[in-house]
Amino acid sequence: MLADDVAYVIGVDTHADSHALVLLDARTQRTCSVLTVAASRSGYRRALRLAHRQAPGKRLWALEGTGSYGAGLARFLTERGEQVREVERPRREGSRGRLKSDALDAERAARLVLSGQRGGLPRLGAETHALKALLLARESAVNERTAALNQLRALVVSCPPELREHLQGRSRAALVSACARLRGGQDPERAALSLALRSLARRIKRLHTDADELEQELARRVQALAPKLLARQGIGPICAARLLVSWSQPGRLRSEAAFARLAGAAPIPASSGKIVRYRLDRGGDRQLNRALHTIVVTLRRTDPRTKAYISRRVAEGKTEREAVRCLKRYLARSLFRQLEAMPST
């Protein structure tokens, strides 16, 4: 039991401006102290002084959100030799999820660890943090580009007939280029529409350039970090980056089953009566699950062995969705073993 390994557990509920801490005695599970500190270096030092003063000996910190609000505190504590574990945030659905306080959340985090759910190591890899930032910026550029393109096409549909006939039927690239060259005329409506279309087209071009630049940087960094991962069939730089960010470093996840659970690829029993079946987990890291799904879709289209596997599982009585579930679980196992063989990032 954890109570045999550490004397105290400090649960932390993290926020943008402040962190709530609750200190529990691991043996009696009684609350020893409650404290709120600023989410800054001075606040981190204050939290550590509390630990030195009231939790002597072996102690463990249970943090929520070590990849976001708790990243600074997790890094600060780890650099000073403290044991840090990440716990999942509670769900907020329903009335019971709304009746909470920061101190209660911090206590819940500590008790989760004491109950045997040790959690994972915090995501502290500098390179994977850089990949996360690049992925976030690229995702934003791609989403904004899609929204601008949809707006441009909607405007084209409602244009005056002569302008609509000039622009309709073009490919996406040709449409954007034609709209970027539009000039206003004497007609006020035509002048306004031309300005709007020209503005949207230039925005699309700029966002396209930004997304390409970010993807090239992601490809360069992933090639340097994990060339073998990038060399696997069906895995491009975006999926590889998402895998690296979720995995973070060797030893953060205790097993390949935990990685599959994080990826939402762990099978969940869904049997009923005489039917024995499993379904996909809907929880976990949805970006990691998205990466697995993209890889599977690519392999189904290009890899003969994947096609043969799905055909065989369907012949055994499974549906295609169930066969894909099995494939995702196998893929999670294979990728986890490859990632664990890599050096720390």
Side-chain angles (χ1 to χ4, degrees):
M1 293 179 62
L2 181 62
D4 299 327
D5 300 329
V6 299
Y8 297 92
V9 176
I10 304 170
V12 185
D13 181 32
T14 59
H15 297 278
D17 300 320
S18 64
H19 301 329
L21 288 77
V22 171
L23 174 62
L24 293 184
D25 187 306
R27 292 176 176 82
T28 64
Q29 297 196 18
R30 294 182 61 183
T31 301
C32 300
S33 184
V34 178
L35 179 68
T36 299
V37 301
S40 62
R41 286 179 295 175
S42 61
Y44 303 157
R45 287 192 289 268
R46 185 183 174 197
L48 191 55
R49 284 196 298 269
L50 170 75
H52 286 312
R53 186 171 61 251
Q54 298 191 23
K58 291 185 177 180
R59 55 183 172 263
L60 184 142
W61 299 72
L63 272 67
E64 295 180 348
T66 62
S68 55
Y69 294 142
L73 179 59
R75 188 178 297 110
F76 177 88
L77 294 172
T78 303
E79 289 173 352
R80 285 153 182 79
E82 299 288 317
Q83 292 188 65
V84 180
R85 292 293 183 272
E86 180 181 22
V87 297
E88 291 185 6
R89 288 188 180 276
R91 293 186 176 182
R92 299 289 187 242
E93 293 92 354
S95 59
R96 297 183 68 181
R98 290 192 295 270
L99 298 174
K100 63 171 285 288
S101 70
D102 296 341
L104 287 176
D105 266 357
E107 182 178 341
R108 182 202 64 87
R111 293 193 183 281
L112 271 179
V113 173
L114 282 172
S115 69
Q117 301 181 37
R118 286 180 175 254
L121 293 172
R123 306 180 187 187
L124 299 175
E127 289 292 345
T128 51
H129 270 290
L131 291 178
K132 181 179 179 181
L134 292 170
L135 280 171
L136 182 64
R138 180 191 172 276
E139 186 83 7
S140 174
V142 170
N143 290 340
E144 289 180 27
R145 182 183 64 186
T146 302
L149 185 60
N150 290 339
Q151 291 165 357
L152 183 141
R153 284 173 169 161
L155 277 179
V156 168
V157 170
S158 61
C159 280
E162 66 277 5
L163 184 57
R164 185 176 68 246
E165 291 169 6
H166 173 66
L167 296 174
Q168 276 186 329
R170 296 173 181 265
S171 65
R172 183 178 65 180
L175 175 63
V176 171
S177 297
C179 289
R181 295 191 300 267
L182 287 175
R183 293 293 179 267
Q186 297 297 323
D187 179 41
E189 182 185 8
R190 170 67 181 260
L193 284 170
S194 297
L195 177 59
L197 291 170
R198 188 166 65 249
S199 174
L200 286 169
R202 289 174 177 174
R203 188 184 309 169
I204 291 167
K205 285 189 171 185
R206 186 183 71 253
L207 291 168
H208 184 77
T209 301
D210 289 348
D212 281 351
E213 182 181 352
L214 290 164
E215 185 168 350
Q216 289 171 13
E217 180 62 15
L218 280 167
R220 186 187 68 78
R221 287 177 177 267
V222 170
Q223 183 63 42
L225 284 173
K228 292 183 179 178
L229 183 64
L230 203 55
R232 284 187 61 154
Q233 185 176 1
I235 301 182
I238 306 303
C239 288
R242 287 199 178 106
L243 290 168
L244 288 168
V245 167
S246 297
W247 166 77
S248 185
Q249 59 189 354
R252 192 180 83 84
L253 298 169
R254 64 183 181 274
S255 66
E256 51 88 11
F259 181 74
R261 175 66 182 83
L262 177 66
I268 296 179
S271 301
S272 176
K274 296 181 179 180
I275 300 175
V276 178
R277 60 179 291 270
Y278 296 85
R279 67 171 178 84
L280 278 176
D281 186 356
R282 303 301 179 188
D285 184 337
R286 302 316 296 171
Q287 292 298 318
L288 177 56
N289 183 272
R290 178 182 174 185
L292 286 182
H293 181 76
T294 302
I295 295 168
V296 169
V297 168
T298 304
L299 291 175
R300 288 186 68 181
R301 189 174 63 249
T302 61
D303 184 29
R305 293 178 303 171
T306 302
K307 295 178 183 179
Y309 173 82
I310 292 178
S311 298
R312 177 170 60 84
R313 300 296 277 180
V314 169
E316 292 173 355
K318 294 188 177 296
T319 65
E320 282 202 10
R321 293 183 66 182
E322 289 172 335
V324 168
R325 178 196 62 75
C326 296
L327 190 58
K328 281 186 177 180
R329 181 63 180 86
Y330 169 80
L331 185 61
R333 180 186 300 115
S334 173
L335 289 170
F336 177 78
R337 291 174 179 174
Q338 183 172 349
L339 290 166
E340 284 294 300
M342 291 172 47
S344 177
T345 57

